[in-house]
Structure formats: C-alpha cells, structure tokens
Amino acid sequence: MTSSDPRSPASAAVDDPTIRLSRLSVRYGRGRSARTALDSVDLDLNTGVHGLLGPNGAGKTTLMRVLATILSATSGEVRLLGRDVRHERDRRQIRRQLGYLPQAFGSYPRFTVREFVGYFAWLKEVPSRRAAAAVDRAIERVGLADRADTRMKSLSGGMLRRAGLAQALVNDPDVLLLDEPTVGLDPEQRISFRRLLREVGADTTVLISTHIVDDVAAICHQAVLVREGRVVLRTHPSQLERLGESIGSTQDGTSALERGYTAALHGRDVPSGVAQ
Amino acid sequence: MIARVVNLELRRGAGLILFVGLAAVGLLMTAMAGLPSDRTGAWSSSGPGIVSWLNTTGLVLGPLAAAGGAWVGGRDRRLGVGELLAAVPKPRWQRDMASFGALLAAVIGGLLVVAAVVTATVLPAITYVGGRWQVSAILVSLGWIACLAIGFALGRLVPHRWTAPVVALIVYLLNGIPTYLDNGVAQLALVSNLPSGDGQRLRLSVAAVAIVWLVGLTSSAFLAGSARRHHWALVPAVLAVVAATQLAPLPVQWNGNSYSATWTEPDPDAMSRVCSTDEPKVCLNAVHASLLPDVTELVRPILAELPPGSVAAEQGTEHPAERPATAPGEFAIPFLEGRTKLFTADVRDPEGLRAELADSFLRVWCSDQTPAVARAYGIATALVLGRQAAGEGAESHDRVTARLERDPSARRAWLADYLDAGRTCDLSAFAELVS
C-alpha cells in the first residue's frame, strides 16, 4: 500500500472527517415490499459528541448499524477514519478503533463484569500487554469498579448498560456509537454518564442516537435530525433551543428544546443551522 | 491471551459443565457395568480393553458432547450478543475456536477422567498393552470430537433452546440405528462402532480412512457453522465423502466375537503364549495373561484326572488360529474372550468355564454320535467334573460312574481309553466302555 493508494490511511487528508457518508442509501427487502431506510444521506462528523435525533422509524438505528459496519449500504459510500468500510481489511482496522453499544444487547450471564469487558478486549484485539489495564480503566470510567467481580446476571438494567458501555470503551475507540445509551439509567447515573461522554468526546467522535433531547442539549456539540431516512438538519443544540423559545411557551409542559426539535423536524427554519 | 479466553470459556461457558457431565455419566456407566451381573463383554485386562470400554461409552457420551456443542454454538444468538459481536474485528472463526477449544478440552478431559479411573481400577490386572490401542484411542477421541463439532454447527445454525436436546437425540439415533441394520452404513457411525476383539488389532489402512472420515466431518461441520464463507466447508466435506465411500462398502463380517474382520487383523503379540511356571504347564494367549492364575486353578484338577499326554490334541479345534502354540507337556487354553469379569482380572462364571474346559478335553468329534458315544461322554464328564457339576443326567447315576468313582486307578484307565476311542472314533470301543 502506498501513500497514493486511496485506501491508505496515510493518504487520507489530514482534514478528513472521522465519519464521511456520501449519498448513503439503505433499502430493506426487494420489489414492491422494498422499504428505504436511509435515502442519499450525506454527513461528515468530526471529533466531538454528536446527537442523532429523530422520530421512531426515521432510520437512526439503521444509520448506527451502517456506521458500526454491521449493515452494508445499498448504495453510496461510507468512510470511517479515512477507510472505506467495503474493503474487508479496512473494515477490520476500523472495528479495532470502533466502540459500539446497540440499543438492545445481551451478555453472558455467568461472566463477571471484568471477564465480560476482558472478553471484548480480546475480541477487539487490544494488545494483550495492555488489555488488563484497559479493562480496569473502562470499568472504572463507567463507575462499575466496585462491581467488577459481580456476575452479569446479578446486575441491574442500568449497571448492565454501563457494562455495555465499558465494553465499547475498552479499546479506547476513535469512533464511539451509542444507541439509546441512557435508557434505564437513573438521574445520578445519567449525570455521570454525561460527564463521561464529554470527557470521551474531547478526542473521540461520539455519535449518540437518542430520543432524550435533554441529553443532546447537555453533552452534544451538534444535533443531527433525521426524518424518513434523510438528514434534515445539523445544528448546535442551543439553536434548537432558541427556535423552541421563539415558537411557544412552557405552559404545555414542554421544554424549549423539545419544541425546537419538533419544529425543526417539521421544517421550521432554525436561526443558524446547517440544514440539508 | 487466547489461553486466557479458552480458560474463561471453560469456566464460564458450558465447558466445565460438559466436562463434569461427561466424566460423571462415563463413570456412572462404568460403575453400572461393573456391578455383578450376567453381562458378557469383550473385556480383557489390556490397553485395547480399556479403549474398547471408552468406545462403548461413546453411545451415550457422544450425544452428550453434541448437546454441549449445540448449546454453546447457539449461545451468542440465544443471548442476543450477536449485535455486539458483529462489530468486533476478531473474525468469527477465531472466536469460535476459543469456544470450541474450551469444549474440546472439556470433552478430552471427560474422556481422560473415565479412562484414568478405569485404568486405575484395573491397573494391577493389566497384563497386555499392545494391539494398537493408541490408534483405537485416536479414533474414539475423534468420534467424540466429531459429535461435538456437529452439535456446535447445528447450534450455530439453529440457535433455539431445544436444539441441544434434539441434537443429542438425533446423534444418538444416527449412531445407534445403523448398528442394528447390520450393513456397511454402521461403519460410518461416529461413536461406539469400533470393532474390538481379543487378539485383534485395527488394520492401519482402514483406520487411516476412518480418521480421514472423522476429521473431514469435524472440519466440515466447524466450517459450515463458523467460517465467513460457508462454502469452505465443501473441501473437508469432499474428503469425508471420499472416505465414506471407501468405508461403507467394506464387507461387514461379524464373526461372533463382535468385530468385523475387514477392520481388524490378528495381533501376533496378543496371541503369543504365556505359561504357568509349575507343572503341568497351562498356557494362555498373552492378551488373557491376567486370567492365568484362575484358569490354572480351574484346569489342573481336570488335568489331574486325565492321563498325561493324552489331551493336547483335543483342544482348540473350533478356533485353531487363536490357539497358543504349545510345546509337549503344555496345555493351551484358547478362546477366553468374554471370560473376564468387566474391569477385573477375575474369571466370570468360573463353574461355567470349568465345564467348558472339561468339555474341550472330553468332547468327541465323531460323525456318528451313537447312544454309546453320548453315554460315554456323560460318564467322562461326571467323572471329571463330579456328578453335581455334570448335571442330573442318567449317567450321573450310572453304575459304571459309581464303580469308577470308587477306584481312582480304574477311573484314569477308563478316561485314557475314552480319549483313545474319541481320537479314533472307535464305536465298538465306546460300546465296551459303557457296558
């Protein structure tokens, strides 16, 4: 591989975004039953925490799965960390630098938290000389150090989610994909989780798919709104909040951010966003 | 790192449970088989005897291994871990190697525990270690591993919680049914199909084909379940099919001693002679050397009744090939297969063996079995074994029998004449003996 090889990471421009989607489309099924989950999505994401917002069925999970290299695009190009996910060798390299926490995931009930995270360290090809330290650090970061030797089957839903996050972090990923990560967390856990993501987002590209707009406001540098398989808006969460403040009041029990999100989703102009 | 992961799989996966299960069931089968009963078997206190028993346990333990494989094979999808695993760089076959490796260690461990306990139990009685027992042991191990791999692949392809018990049942039936069909397909059974027989050893050429069959099947099953491209499984599958086409048409020649002559050949070392040190010398085949004290004790009182030098020719006529080579003054006792109590060096049914031994010396092989011949045989048996052991036939109460019992020298002379008459089939001599 030479530096002129477009697949070479060295050839990737220094300014290349960590995630680059070009005219990405994903269709399920064939013929008349075919359904378009993602439709010509163009998206560049760089270091920082990004929130993926959208109603149910908008295509958020499909997008996360494509970025996690689990699902192949029907058409278009997906580049992560300067590599094309279609190439097997690149895909393996991308996965080494990827952390992924799906919306629903199972675990091995007889494993302890340490064993579970350690197992994923092995699966993610963390060099064995630093695997033990990486496991301890990941467990500590998610606040499960005192439960490291507890079996997975004994964990509560929130703890299980944190153990899942620990496995996503164990390889110190450059791209972290979290699908509904705060579901099941109590308020205190959510606060520490937000703190953790802010810390991780300092040098990692984090994409969070969520329904909870407060999470986006609290931790994300950018909100990406998806509707019917298309990215309809990219903006700073504060802009959404501003839009919400301009179109309603708190009397109906909604926050300005929620109103702004709903309005943006239905095509209202955002004060200064990057609409697509 | 891989060793640590295999260790983790062994402890936290089903590996440890499988190991304990296999060892426990294997030992239970061993204990049950060792209980006093009329059970007959091809047990000999030898290396091949131990392997033969492990082969027998495979009928139950093979399906158990398959169930363990199916349970672990379907684990990731059953537990919903598939989404997490799909995003990791480690190729699936490497992950599966760790899981399968742990199960493999469990299966081999279970096999070794059963083998070790049986060996320790019979160790003082082991007198023959040969007969290519290592080749047999490899085939037994590969059969268990093939069951494991098939279960693993089926569990991977059909990850349902009922897959494991269903797979166990299917493997049991697929291994068990062919043996009752009495045709070549039985030779493809993965477990419990190894021919065994005292004084026999596996033919290397057939064993090699059987190894290719089992390795091909195992590799094919593993690749079908774990390879990124399932069609890679075709390569070992072709090998397995080629081997199967060589094995299945082999003629099944059951010779009454539970082995197929096409799979085995005589083992000269097992058939070599082992004799007692005291006179009269009693000789057995080396494979039955552990029985020498018991058999000597049984045969000497019989020989004491018979004139020296008059009995050797009457022995072993049914199975001359199995008869130990003898020198003058030595008494060769052949065909003791199935005569050892399971897992001991003791004679099973010593009274029965005593009667058979007497019969082997006294049986008359004349084409004309006249009433006089039959009556003389009955008298001879009653004299050698005693009336009670000889049964309640008319000869037991025969006046000739009664007269000879009272006079030892007349008895020996009568038996010498009887054996002479038997050798020459002199019917008039028989008539005179019973008159």
Side-chain angles (χ1 to χ4, degrees), chain A residues 129-142:
Chain A
R129 67 178 181 284
R130 58 182 184 85
V135 169
D136 286 344
R137 182 159 178 263
I139 292 172
E140 200 177 322
R141 288 176 93 178
V142 300

Side-chain angles (χ1 to χ4, degrees), chain B residues 1-175:
Chain B
M1 190 75 178
I2 180 76
R4 211 180 307 162
V5 173
V6 171
N7 184 28
L8 175 65
E9 284 277 359
L10 196 57
R11 285 185 295 115
R12 303 293 192 204
L16 195 60
I17 297 168
L18 182 63
F19 165 71
V20 172
L22 289 172
V25 175
L27 293 178
L28 183 68
M29 288 177 74
T30 306
M32 298 287 284
L35 289 176
S37 69
D38 291 335
R39 181 192 167 90
T40 59
W43 172 255
S44 62
S45 300
S46 64
I50 294 169
V51 177
S52 176
W53 171 248
L54 294 176
N55 174 56
T56 304
T57 62
L59 194 60
V60 175
L61 300 188
L64 205 57
W71 185 254
V72 174
R75 181 187 61 180
D76 292 342
R77 278 169 68 183
R78 212 174 47 245
L79 294 176
V81 195
E83 186 82 355
L84 284 179
L85 295 175
V88 300
K90 188 77 76 185
R92 186 168 67 176
W93 70 267
Q94 286 187 27
R95 300 193 315 249
D96 284 352
M97 280 297 277
S99 309
F100 191 78
L103 292 173
L104 191 64
V107 166
I108 299 295
L111 187 69
L112 286 177
V113 166
V114 180
V117 170
V118 173
T119 305
T121 308
V122 301
L123 199 56
I126 291 288
T127 48
Y128 177 71
V129 182
R132 292 184 182 149
W133 67 269
Q134 302 93 331
V135 179
S136 303
I138 287 170
L139 281 171
V140 168
S141 308
L142 289 176
W144 287 32
I145 293 167
C147 290
L148 175 70
I150 288 170
F152 193 82
L154 290 175
R156 169 55 49 82
L157 299 172
V158 190
H160 194 277
R161 60 172 57 243
W162 286 103
T163 302
V166 170
V167 163
L169 184 64
I170 289 171
V171 170
Y172 176 77
L173 293 176
L174 286 181
N175 282 308

Side-chain angles (χ1 to χ4, degrees), chain A residues 53-69:
Chain A
L53 288 167
N56 288 334
K60 299 191 300 294
T61 296
T62 299
L63 181 56
M64 295 296 268
R65 297 189 80 223
V66 169
L67 292 174
T69 70

Side-chain angles (χ1 to χ4, degrees), chain A residues 61 65 68-70 88 91-93 95-96 98 100-102 104-112 115-116 118-126 128 131-132 151 164 167, chain B residues 1-6 8-17 75-76 79-91 93-99 228-229 232:
Chain A
T61 296
R65 297 189 80 223
T69 70
I70 296 170
E88 192 186 329
R91 196 161 56 235
R92 188 166 178 183
Q93 186 56 42
R95 287 175 173 177
R96 285 195 188 108
L98 185 76
Y100 175 50
L101 179 66
F105 68 96
S107 68
Y108 303 109
R110 287 165 49 82
F111 282 33
T112 64
E115 287 166 347
F116 179 70
Y119 183 57
F120 273 89
W122 177 69
L123 292 174
K124 292 181 173 193
E125 301 181 334
V126 175
S128 54
R151 291 204 181 182
Q167 69 76 30
Chain B
M1 190 75 178
I2 180 76
R4 211 180 307 162
V5 173
V6 171
L8 175 65
E9 284 277 359
L10 196 57
R11 285 185 295 115
R12 303 293 192 204
L16 195 60
I17 297 168
R75 181 187 61 180
D76 292 342
L79 294 176
V81 195
E83 186 82 355
L84 284 179
L85 295 175
V88 300
K90 188 77 76 185
W93 70 267
Q94 286 187 27
R95 300 193 315 249
D96 284 352
M97 280 297 277
S99 309
R228 195 163 54 84
R229 295 186 174 89
W232 288 352

Side-chain angles (χ1 to χ4, degrees), chain B residues 77-318:
Chain B
R77 278 169 68 183
R78 212 174 47 245
L79 294 176
V81 195
E83 186 82 355
L84 284 179
L85 295 175
V88 300
K90 188 77 76 185
R92 186 168 67 176
W93 70 267
Q94 286 187 27
R95 300 193 315 249
D96 284 352
M97 280 297 277
S99 309
F100 191 78
L103 292 173
L104 191 64
V107 166
I108 299 295
L111 187 69
L112 286 177
V113 166
V114 180
V117 170
V118 173
T119 305
T121 308
V122 301
L123 199 56
I126 291 288
T127 48
Y128 177 71
V129 182
R132 292 184 182 149
W133 67 269
Q134 302 93 331
V135 179
S136 303
I138 287 170
L139 281 171
V140 168
S141 308
L142 289 176
W144 287 32
I145 293 167
C147 290
L148 175 70
I150 288 170
F152 193 82
L154 290 175
R156 169 55 49 82
L157 299 172
V158 190
H160 194 277
R161 60 172 57 243
W162 286 103
T163 302
V166 170
V167 163
L169 184 64
I170 289 171
V171 170
Y172 176 77
L173 293 176
L174 286 181
N175 282 308
I177 289 174
T179 57
Y180 296 105
L181 296 179
D182 199 23
N183 67 26
V185 178
Q187 298 173 102
L188 299 179
L190 306 179
V191 286
S192 202
N193 79 324
L194 265 194
S196 64
D198 292 358
Q200 299 288 312
R201 64 185 183 189
L202 285 175
R203 286 181 199 275
L204 287 178
S205 55
V206 179
V209 178
I211 286 172
V212 172
W213 157 242
L214 292 172
V215 170
L217 200 63
T218 301
S219 311
S220 181
F222 183 79
L223 290 173
S226 300
R228 195 163 54 84
R229 295 186 174 89
H230 294 317
H231 62 261
W232 288 352
L234 287 174
V235 177
V238 167
L239 271 180
V241 168
V242 168
T245 56
Q246 300 297 308
L247 282 180
L250 288 177
V252 181
Q253 296 173 12
W254 302 104
N255 66 0
N257 279 335
S258 78
Y259 57 83
S260 167
T262 49
W263 279 64
T264 57
E265 62 188 14
D267 176 9
D269 294 335
M271 302 313 290
S272 65
R273 197 175 48 141
V274 175
C275 298
S276 61
T277 48
D278 300 337
E279 296 292 332
K281 279 190 177 177
V282 175
C283 300
L284 307 184
N285 292 323
V287 72
H288 296 129
S290 63
L291 291 178
L292 191 58
D294 283 3
V295 172
T296 303
E297 196 177 313
L298 287 172
V299 82
R300 278 198 175 140
I302 298 170
L303 291 172
E305 294 291 335
L306 303 175
S310 65
V311 294
E314 278 73 32
Q315 299 168 46
T317 48
E318 281 180 301

